[in-house]
Amino acid sequence: MEKKTHRIHTSDDLEVSTYLEIAQEKSGVHPVSQSLEDLKVEKETVVVIDFGSQYSMLIARRVRECNVYCEIVQYDDPWEKVRELKPRGFILSGGPASVYADEAPLAPYWVYESRLPILGICYGMQVLSHQLGGKVTPGDKHEYGHSILHLSSTDNPLFADLEPEFPVWMSHGDRIDKMPTDFTSLAYTDNSPVAVMGNQQGIIGLQFHPEVIHTPNGKTIIKNFLYNICGCHGTWTPSNFAAESIAKIKEQVGDDKVICALSGGVDSAVVATLIHKAIGDNLICIFVNNGLLRKEEAERTIQVFKKNLKMNLIYIEATDRFLKRLEGITDPEKKRKLIGEEFIRIFEEEASKLTEAKYLAQGTLYPDVIESAGTKASKVIKSHHNVGGLPSDMTLSLIEPVRLLFKDEVRLVGLALGLPEEMIWRQPFPGPGLSIRIIGEVTRESLDMLREADWIVMNETKKAGLYRQLWQIFAVLTPVKSVGVMGDYRTYGNVAAIRAVTGEDAMTADWARLPYDLLARISNRIVNEVKGITRVVYDISSKPPSTIEWE
Ligand code: XMP
């Protein structure tokens, strides 16, 4: 296989090596290249062939957690596209179909013709069996949940560092009745005589799901496949990615100028930093203060990007414009729409002054790329969620440096680039900001109240060491008025709600079982310190059926 080298150009060598050192210190999780020469590493890629499994992205994430680069392709993608990735091996995903169903997706011929190692997971294993001459039959029982896997022998490189028995997570109806010739059974469970099968060529089938957390040894199995069977070494690290990405941006952009909208969130921060490392002052960042940000958020963003990182930052104070448009508006979707529109208007006004700019940077992430590819849609340019959508008729070319990364990888790259931890681990904050946490009309007074309450919530949560364990925690200002008592006086003010949820993505979330004393401190401080709030309630609804935000 051709050796790929990544060369960083000389003028920035010092800068790049300095940040690699910072990366080493900061990330502490990955071996960082000792010198730029070490960056002449071969990019090792393993390709997941997606049969429509809900777990395909999880498989890709697990592979990357083993420091091997991974991309997802569709089962009907052409070899020409996959060949460019120079794969070291393939993983056939699970999927909802039965191999006997009409139009059941099967592995393309090139997978077998490549003679590369293949790991078939669940449906992927049945596909292997079906296509290579074995027999798949409907199981007597649908096997769902925990099973104990018994290894026939621990000598197989797939099982390195594993005990002879361990729990695995099953979810299948069909099972392997007859293996293809030259395959042997490598492990079994009570219900699956062939729970793992393999042949000499490194083609392996797993009846269980190694990618889910319910298979505690799953990551070791995936790692064994990648390292011991595909021969990977683990060269995919955040700092290698950063160095490669910076070199690519330099090459792509040359002396042209790039515009980047900063939102204060981690994605746009990482995008801007990568581009800045590559092209310096030819990157122009635009940061719009819509007046709906958290306390000190605008100041912090300016401090980090302009003062610390010395970026070329255009700061636009647009609070009045946004508040004017929000006057009298109570409908949440109208609020979102107006805020999005106003942002685009301002962004266009600014961008039109930057006539030399050729590129627009966006923080598109891999799940967005996969989603648009999965639906076979033509390339959709997703609006960057946190900046509320960007102009549709812009003539700028897009540059999307993190489009192949998952969110957690963006964070690691951010750490490797030396961005402040506070920015890296910031909880998601919606584009329309505090406006959708004020039920009813957004006014300067309601924003001030919510900002103070939110500040207390953040402060106490961080002090309690719980900030990073929660997906989101925030205050909501309701228009409900309630009576209180302070000293000898009767008070009458708003009810605030505290919303705290746990979860891995925003699709589902559970309300967080926060310690009572934390809730007590938050409530006590809000009622005492925020003028106008007389009562605090805690939201105990999960998503679904409730949403995370109140509006
Ligand atoms: P919901 O309320 O739908 O929120 O459960 C799911 C996640 O999305 C965030 N959210 C938004 N983010 N613009 C954004 O950029 C929005 O209009 C918006 N609405 C909700 C929310 O904070 C949560 O993380």
Side-chain angles (χ1 to χ4, degrees):
M1 201 166 282
E2 186 194 321
K3 200 163 169 86
K4 196 166 183 181
T5 57
H6 310 295
R7 179 77 192 117
I8 308 289
H9 301 296
T10 43
S11 61
D12 274 2
D13 273 2
L14 185 64
E15 196 188 345
V16 174
S17 56
T18 312
Y19 96 79
L20 283 175
E21 272 159 35
I22 298 170
Q24 191 159 23
E25 221 171 81
K26 288 262 177 194
S27 69
V29 277
H30 295 287
V32 172
S33 307
Q34 294 302 305
S35 75
L36 294 176
E37 287 310 299
D38 287 351
L39 288 174
K40 288 179 183 164
V41 285
E42 195 168 344
K43 187 164 170 189
E44 302 167 334
T45 303
V46 165
V47 167
V48 172
I49 297 177
D50 180 28
F51 292 124
S53 165
Q54 53 173 332
Y55 295 135
S56 293
M57 273 204 230
L58 199 52
I59 300 172
R61 275 171 65 173
R62 293 284 175 263
V63 171
R64 292 191 191 179
E65 280 165 18
C66 297
N67 301 122
V68 172
Y69 183 62
C70 181
E71 278 200 34
I72 300 172
V73 302
Q74 300 303 309
Y75 66 93
D76 52 358
D77 277 340
W79 170 238
E80 289 65 43
K81 172 179 164 186
V82 180
R83 188 177 48 196
E84 280 173 22
L85 299 171
K86 302 195 180 100
R88 290 286 186 101
F90 294 106
I91 299 180
L92 309 184
S93 84
S98 160
V99 286
Y100 292 117
D102 285 346
E103 296 180 22
L106 295 175
Y109 183 59
W110 47 254
V111 170
Y112 302 111
E113 205 182 25
S114 72
R115 307 232 153 237
L116 290 168
I118 306 170
L119 181 71
I121 295 176
C122 197
Y123 176 77
M125 178 199 206
Q126 288 150 19
V127 166
L128 286 176
S129 193
H130 181 68
Q131 291 187 291
L132 297 175
K135 189 157 183 256
V136 178
T137 50
D140 305 336
K141 284 196 249 173
H142 186 96
E143 199 178 3
Y144 182 82
H146 279 296
S147 284
I148 297 296
L149 187 78
H150 304 269
L151 307 185
S152 310
S153 147
T154 48
D155 288 345
N156 195 297
L158 184 71
F159 301 136
D161 304 324
L162 292 173
E163 298 295 319
E165 288 178 2
F166 52 87
V168 293
W169 184 260
M170 293 282 194
S171 170
H172 65 104
D174 295 356
R175 68 174 204 200
I176 309 297
D177 208 30
K178 181 174 154 274
M179 286 177 286
T181 25
D182 79 9
F183 274 73
T184 47
S185 168
L186 304 175
Y188 62 93
T189 66
D190 283 352
N191 275 314
S192 297
V194 184
V196 180
M197 65 174 194
N199 74 357
Q200 289 298 321
Q201 200 199 302
I203 303 186
I204 291 160
L206 305 178
Q207 188 61 89
F208 58 90
H209 287 276
E211 70 277 23
V212 300
I213 44 168
H214 311 296
T215 300
N217 287 328
K219 199 164 150 189
T220 308
I221 295 178
I222 291 175
K223 188 169 181 185
N224 286 340
F225 173 71
L226 300 169
Y227 286 52
N228 301 344
I229 296 173
C230 299
C232 296
H233 300 86
T235 53
W236 167 255
T237 63
S239 34
N240 283 350
F241 169 85
E244 186 191 341
S245 165
I246 291 165
K248 265 197 208 149
I249 296 167
K250 267 187 191 175
E251 204 179 298
Q252 182 187 351
V253 174
D255 291 330
D256 287 324
K257 290 197 187 324
V258 178
I259 305 178
C260 178
L262 282 181
S263 68
V266 62
D267 303 344
S268 63
V270 170
V271 165
T273 310
L274 285 170
I275 300 175
H276 186 244
K277 297 273 181 202
I279 62 166
D281 276 352
N282 276 345
L283 169 72
I284 304 145
C285 292
I286 298 181
F287 176 59
V288 179
N289 183 355
N290 57 12
L292 309 169
L293 304 174
R294 290 179 152 156
K295 187 166 161 175
E296 293 183 7
E297 186 92 36
E299 293 84 344
R300 248 196 326 266
T301 306
I302 296 169
Q303 175 69 35
V304 171
F305 292 99
K306 197 166 183 127
K307 306 226 167 92
N308 300 2
L309 298 174
K310 313 244 180 299
M311 286 192 200
N312 197 347
L313 175 74
I314 300 176
Y315 171 70
I316 297 155
E317 169 45 67
T319 304
D320 290 348
R321 280 179 71 162
F322 280 90
L323 291 191
K324 184 107 197 74
R325 293 219 53 194
L326 287 169
E327 250 172 40
I329 307 293
T330 54
D331 177 68
E333 283 315 299
K334 256 200 192 131
K335 286 183 187 173
R336 281 190 172 83
K337 194 161 167 278
L338 291 177
I339 293 165
E341 272 173 21
E342 195 58 29
F343 176 83
I344 291 179
R345 212 173 276 178
I346 294 173
F347 192 83
E348 266 173 340
E349 283 167 21
E350 291 309 312
S352 66
K353 296 178 203 159
L354 306 167
T355 46
E356 288 164 274
K358 282 237 171 77
Y359 293 92
L360 177 69
Q362 278 204 304
T364 314
L365 297 183
Y366 197 45
D368 301 330
V369 175
I370 292 296
E371 258 167 46
S372 17
T375 53
K376 303 272 171 226
S378 56
K379 190 170 172 288
V380 185
I381 297 164
K382 291 229 166 196
S383 53
H384 187 182
H385 217 44
N386 280 329
V387 292
L390 288 171
S392 53
D393 57 350
M394 274 200 158
T395 49
L396 300 165
S397 307
L398 272 191
I399 174 164
E400 302 172 309
V402 294
R403 74 191 304 275
L404 293 173
L405 298 189
F406 291 107
K407 184 89 180 181
D408 34 1
E409 293 170 330
V410 174
R411 290 202 165 104
L412 292 177
V413 171
L415 286 174
L417 290 167
L419 286 172
E421 296 237 355
E422 197 192 56
M423 184 169 279
I424 298 296
W425 297 111
R426 199 183 81 140
Q427 291 174 355
F429 185 65
L434 298 179
S435 80
I436 54 167
R437 295 177 181 171
I438 292 171
I439 313 305
E441 189 182 358
V442 179
T443 61
R444 252 172 239 278
E445 294 68 42
S446 59
L447 276 166
D448 284 344
M449 258 197 270
L450 182 58
R451 221 172 254 133
E452 286 308 314
D454 178 77
W455 182 256
I456 292 169
V457 172
M458 284 301 123
N459 212 275
E460 290 298 332
T461 310
K462 284 180 182 168
K463 266 204 297 201
L466 290 174
Y467 182 79
R468 279 193 31 199
Q469 291 171 41
L470 297 169
W471 172 263
Q472 274 170 300
I473 179 164
F474 53 87
V476 177
L477 186 69
T478 79
V480 175
K481 294 275 188 177
S482 163
V483 174
V485 53
M486 277 211 163
D488 293 333
Y489 293 96
R490 178 185 182 276
T491 53
Y492 189 55
N494 291 73
V495 176
I498 306 301
R499 179 71 163 142
V501 293
T502 54
E504 291 223 332
D505 51 44
M507 304 297 285
T508 60
D510 196 8
W511 63 275
R513 274 51 167 182
L514 291 183
Y516 282 164
D517 50 352
L518 171 61
L519 287 169
R521 273 195 304 275
I522 291 175
S523 152
N524 203 24
R525 280 194 60 192
I526 292 180
V527 173
N528 281 296
E529 295 174 32
V530 185
K531 204 161 167 279
I533 297 180
T534 48
R535 190 175 296 269
V536 175
V537 295
Y538 188 50
D539 180 347
I540 51 167
S541 17
S542 292
K543 175 181 179 176
S546 303
T547 54
I548 296 176
E549 302 290 346
W550 274 35
E551 282 202 335

